[in-house]
Amino acid sequence: MIGSGILKGMAVTARNFVGSYFDKERLITVQYPEERDPLPENYRNFPFLIYDSDDPHAGLRCVACKICEKECPPQCIYIVKSDDKKPDYMGKPQFYPKVFDIDISVCMSCQICVEVCPFEAIKMDKDFELSKRERFDALLLRKEKLSKSNEYYHKIHPIEAAAVDNNLADAAAAAEAKKKAAAEAAARAAAAKAASSAAATSATPVKSAPAAPSSSEASS
């Protein structure tokens, strides 16, 4: 029958139209911005920097190694390394970025910077409402704007953030165990050296004082 496909399509439309008054799942249009669909776990938009604790400076994971800057395809990351150092999450003195800028008007959200970062310091955000009225540097995000807490990371990517925290905890535990083992080995080596020195001292023969001359030898 000619037009049967149109009739079937109109039947589906009519069924959804009437059903939308009774079943919210049939609603196709989301009344944005009053209503928003939840973003999936693996959604990504633009990068941001993670810091631990409550201090964005002291807790920043980035050590300004510049790997992300070198590997970025559109070259939208700009980093200047600091002159001094600060302790990282394992207490090891590390450099930090004095300047860290990302031009999100150029960024293509490829996530390569996240994949090459060895310190789990840069991740992908879910914030997509970044339009600005200005044309030039309004979309140049600086370190202060890019830095976000680990709690925020757990909020937007809970499964991924939990896995990252476990990896960092394992790395910190391994480093602490290695440090402890090195200290114990150094202590054992020092004790063995001290024992060897003591044994060598006790085994050295003591030279006796020369005997005093007898009275006959003295008179002669």
Side-chain angles (χ1 to χ4, degrees):
M1 177 180 172
I2 299 175
S4 61
I6 296 177
L7 293 176
K8 290 179 181 179
M10 293 299 293
V12 172
T13 301
R15 186 164 59 251
N16 283 305
F17 174 74
V18 175
S20 65
Y21 286 93
F22 307 99
D23 185 6
K24 191 174 181 179
E25 295 297 326
R26 289 180 178 271
L27 290 174
I28 304 302
T29 303
V30 176
Q31 301 301 317
Y32 180 86
E34 289 79 11
E35 297 179 2
R36 306 185 183 205
D37 278 340
L39 297 174
E41 165 79 15
N42 60 349
Y43 176 85
R44 66 173 187 257
N45 199 18
F46 296 112
F48 71 98
L49 299 174
I50 299 180
Y51 67 86
D52 297 303
S53 70
D54 298 326
D55 191 340
H57 173 70
L60 196 65
R61 294 179 183 176
C62 178
V63 299
C65 64
K66 295 190 177 184
I67 294 178
C68 57
E69 182 185 56
K70 295 174 184 176
E71 297 294 332
C72 178
Q75 297 293 293
C76 65
I77 301 177
Y78 176 69
I79 302 173
V80 176
K81 184 183 292 187
S82 64
D83 299 323
D84 57 333
K85 294 184 178 183
K86 66 177 181 62
D88 63 0
Y89 68 98
M90 291 192 296
K92 183 179 179 181
Q94 297 280 10
F95 289 104
Y96 60 91
K98 184 164 57 175
V99 175
F100 196 118
D101 298 340
I102 296 180
D103 188 352
I104 62 171
S105 66
V106 180
C107 176
M108 61 185 190
S109 303
C110 63
Q111 198 173 291
I112 291 178
C113 57
V114 176
E115 295 173 358
V116 300
C117 179
F119 299 96
E120 304 287 0
I122 186 168
K123 298 296 178 182
M124 301 302 287
D125 207 343
K126 286 188 175 183
D127 188 12
F128 57 88
E129 297 172 313
L130 298 171
S131 59
K132 305 291 182 182
R133 296 182 64 88
E134 295 81 4
R135 294 179 56 193
F136 299 104
D137 63 344
L139 294 177
L140 179 64
L141 301 185
R142 304 190 184 280
K143 183 177 72 171
E144 293 74 21
K145 183 71 174 179
L146 291 169
S147 300
K148 298 183 179 180
S149 66
N150 192 33
E151 288 74 16
Y152 175 80
Y153 180 40
H154 275 265
K155 182 180 178 181
I156 62 173
H157 295 296
I159 299 175
E160 179 182 296
V164 168
D165 280 358
N166 289 335
N167 292 337
L168 292 178
D170 293 342
E176 184 63 26
K178 185 177 180 180
K179 183 179 179 181
K180 185 178 179 181
E184 292 176 352
R188 287 195 298 268
K193 184 177 180 180
S196 176
S197 298
T201 302
S202 61
T204 302
V206 180
K207 295 182 178 180
S208 58
S214 59
S215 56
S216 60
E217 293 175 346
S219 60
S220 64

